[in-house]
Amino acid sequence: SILEIKTTVICPATQKHVKKYLSQEMLLVEETGEDYLSTTLPYIESQSFSVQWVYNILEKKAEADRIVFEDPDPDTGFVLLPDFKWDQKQLYDLYLIAIVHRRNIKSLRDLTSDHLPLLRNISKKGKESIQKQYGMSACKLRVYLHYQPSYYHLHVHFTSLNYDAPGCGVERAHLLTDVIMNLEADPQYYQNRTITYTLRADDNLLLRFREAGRC
Amino acid sequence: SILEIKTTVICPATQKHVKKYLSQEMLLVEETGEDYLSTTLPYIESQSFSVQWVYNILEKKAEADRIVFEDPDPDTGFVLLPDFKWDQKQLYDLYLIAIVHRRNIKSLRDLTSDHLPLLRNISKKGKESIQKQYGMSACKLRVYLHYQPSYYHLHVHFTSLNYDAPGCGVERAHLLTDVIMNLEADPQYYQNRTITYTLRADDNLLLRFREAGRC
């Protein structure tokens, strides 16, 4: 029913959780390739965000029973599993994540034409697996990357087109088919292109951009 | 308050209204430049969608009192006015539309580098007008075009970043800054590029794609 209301209960909630769900002013950043090198990359490195939990999944130390599909190839392989936002009880809000085996691809910004075989493999086998496992065809899927991502290890989102998934807005999502076409046209596209995205007013990266006089 | 619920009452409602608000399966189309010429353009022309209501606005025969800003230049000019979805009572869901004076630009697909002065003018003066009229700075605005648009006369959407506006998803919205960069890099970008978008399962254009064996 369209009158159904879905809720998420977080208990106990930390200050970080409260902050995440509080309405927050968003601001636009137009990040040039130069901005990435001078501002964003040093910020990411200074935070030393841990992706150990991702490595635990890739090494089957965690969530091994949740894996829907795996291509073990170290260069072009990935693991596909349901996102935690999806309870898997119905298909309208289908949401899976493909996490690549290759390490040290932090985000869209690191992609070059060298990664085309990886990206095409994720597109093809991700869609095939979802068709096989859930009976949902590729023409009902939105397949995209986030920039900025919420963690700096390359992953691809697969969501149902009928689901208005959080983070599928034009200011954060990049369709995998567009990413592939951009890299086919220009191997250094994501090193040079100005990418527009939004940050919360209290995001530390936004403060860095402000300090750099870039917004 | 975040507990506030906003409703829209449509009375009397036609079958078309009911259809619009019914939950409908969406399907993905990957439209090549060739598909546009062989399938989409003939469809648009066969429908002879009327944009007389747009011409009435441009000619001040309708809604003249709602115009926030106008640049009357026949080549690079436009009219800026609030979208009907915005009641103008608060800024969080700010929504304005810039409608170009030039006719015969149906959509993104018709844009070439010849239109860069028009697009840059809309970007610059649209943002300046919204700053002046509503005190909202450019870094809080999402500025984009739809493809497919809901009517085939070029127009640009200006919405508040804090507002999750309908149609601002990656599968329909194209940021104006990206459109400008794409045309700077390739004058024929929008004639040649494959553009991904979604259509409702009962959309007549989707039926045309099906007949052409393209989905």
Side-chain angles (χ1 to χ4, degrees):
Chain A
S1 154
I2 55 163
L3 291 171
E4 198 175 313
I5 291 178
K6 208 176 149 189
T7 60
T8 304
V9 177
I10 299 169
C11 177
T14 64
Q15 270 307 316
K16 214 173 157 182
H17 285 112
V18 172
K19 205 165 143 182
K20 180 175 170 185
Y21 287 92
L22 274 175
S23 177
Q24 254 281 336
E25 195 170 50
M26 303 298 289
L27 295 168
L28 201 85
V29 172
E30 294 190 351
E31 182 194 85
T32 63
E34 184 59 34
D35 289 329
Y36 176 72
L37 294 177
S38 64
T39 302
T40 308
L41 183 58
Y43 169 73
I44 295 168
E45 288 173 342
S46 75
Q47 299 290 302
S48 49
F49 296 112
S50 174
V51 287
Q52 187 55 50
W53 66 273
V54 174
Y55 299 157
N56 289 344
I57 293 172
L58 294 174
E59 293 166 7
K60 315 291 157 59
K61 291 176 185 163
E63 303 182 42
D65 56 325
R66 302 181 70 244
I67 293 175
V68 168
F69 173 79
E70 175 173 19
D71 178 335
D73 188 285
D75 278 329
T76 61
F78 64 98
V79 152
L80 182 72
L81 71 176
D83 186 276
F84 274 110
K85 285 188 281 299
W86 183 37
D87 64 13
Q88 304 179 61
K89 287 179 183 160
Q90 61 291 310
L91 292 181
Y92 91 91
D93 60 346
L94 176 139
Y95 199 146
L96 291 102
I97 301 282
I99 303 175
V100 304
H101 274 302
R102 280 184 69 159
R103 302 186 181 187
N104 303 323
I105 310 176
K106 285 184 289 301
S107 74
L108 208 57
R109 279 284 187 205
D110 286 337
L111 292 175
T112 69
S113 53
D114 291 345
H115 302 104
L116 282 169
L118 167 65
L119 299 173
R120 291 186 189 123
N121 192 47
I122 293 171
S123 177
K124 181 170 184 289
K125 293 192 185 150
K127 288 169 184 170
E128 284 171 359
S129 304
I130 290 171
Q131 171 73 62
K132 195 176 162 193
Q133 184 77 15
Y134 304 102
M136 184 175 280
S137 70
C139 65
K140 295 185 187 172
L141 289 175
R142 184 195 293 117
V143 186
Y144 56 101
L145 290 80
H146 279 158
Y147 191 76
Q148 296 287 327
S150 52
Y151 50 97
Y152 292 91
H153 176 106
L154 196 76
H155 57 284
V156 177
H157 304 254
F158 289 75
T159 61
S160 163
L161 268 186
N162 288 308
Y163 173 45
D164 185 21
C168 74
V170 63
E171 65 270 27
R172 189 160 184 212
H174 298 258
L175 291 177
L176 181 56
T177 53
D178 285 339
V179 173
I180 290 171
M181 283 190 282
N182 290 334
L183 291 171
E184 286 169 345
D186 175 2
Q188 304 295 309
Y189 184 95
Y190 289 104
Q191 283 74 62
N192 299 324
R193 177 75 173 214
T194 295
I195 306 181
T196 301
Y197 56 87
T198 59
L199 293 172
R200 293 162 58 106
D202 62 356
D203 191 298
N204 287 324
L205 178 54
L206 187 78
L207 303 180
R208 295 282 188 108
F209 269 85
R210 285 211 162 134
E211 283 161 17
R214 290 291 291 124
C215 70
Chain B
S1 153
I2 54 163
L3 292 171
E4 197 174 313
I5 291 177
K6 207 176 149 187
T7 60
T8 303
V9 177
I10 299 170
C11 178
T14 64
Q15 271 306 315
K16 212 172 159 183
H17 285 112
V18 172
K19 205 165 144 183
K20 180 174 172 186
Y21 287 93
L22 274 176
S23 177
Q24 254 282 337
E25 195 170 50
M26 304 296 289
L27 294 168
L28 202 84
V29 171
E30 295 190 353
E31 182 195 87
T32 63
E34 185 58 33
D35 289 330
Y36 176 71
L37 294 177
S38 64
T39 303
T40 309
L41 183 58
Y43 169 73
I44 295 169
E45 287 172 343
S46 75
Q47 299 291 301
S48 49
F49 295 115
S50 173
V51 286
Q52 187 56 50
W53 65 273
V54 173
Y55 299 158
N56 290 344
I57 293 173
L58 294 174
E59 294 167 6
K60 316 292 157 56
K61 292 176 184 163
E63 303 182 42
D65 56 324
R66 301 180 72 244
I67 293 175
V68 168
F69 173 79
E70 177 174 18
D71 177 335
D73 189 284
D75 278 330
T76 61
F78 64 97
V79 153
L80 182 73
L81 71 177
D83 186 275
F84 274 109
K85 285 188 281 298
W86 184 36
D87 63 14
Q88 304 180 60
K89 287 181 183 159
Q90 61 289 313
L91 292 181
Y92 91 90
D93 60 346
L94 175 140
Y95 199 146
L96 292 102
I97 302 282
I99 302 175
V100 304
H101 274 302
R102 281 184 68 158
R103 301 186 182 187
N104 303 325
I105 310 176
K106 285 185 288 303
S107 74
L108 209 57
R109 278 282 186 207
D110 285 337
L111 293 174
T112 70
S113 53
D114 291 344
H115 302 103
L116 281 168
L118 167 65
L119 300 172
R120 291 186 188 123
N121 192 48
I122 294 171
S123 176
K124 181 170 184 288
K125 293 192 187 151
K127 289 170 184 170
E128 284 170 0
S129 304
I130 290 171
Q131 170 74 62
K132 194 176 163 195
Q133 183 77 15
Y134 304 101
M136 183 175 279
S137 70
C139 66
K140 295 185 187 172
L141 290 175
R142 186 192 294 114
V143 186
Y144 55 101
L145 290 81
H146 279 159
Y147 191 76
Q148 295 290 328
S150 51
Y151 51 97
Y152 292 91
H153 175 106
L154 195 76
H155 57 284
V156 177
H157 303 254
F158 289 74
T159 61
S160 164
L161 268 185
N162 287 309
Y163 173 45
D164 186 20
C168 73
V170 64
E171 65 271 26
R172 188 159 185 213
H174 297 258
L175 290 178
L176 181 57
T177 53
D178 285 339
V179 172
I180 290 172
M181 283 189 283
N182 290 335
L183 291 172
E184 285 168 347
D186 175 1
Q188 303 296 310
Y189 184 94
Y190 288 105
Q191 282 73 63
N192 299 324
R193 177 75 173 214
T194 295
I195 306 181
T196 301
Y197 56 87
T198 59
L199 293 171
R200 294 162 58 103
D202 62 357
D203 191 296
N204 287 324
L205 179 54
L206 187 78
L207 302 180
R208 296 281 188 111
F209 270 85
R210 285 211 163 134
E211 283 162 17
R214 290 290 292 126
C215 69

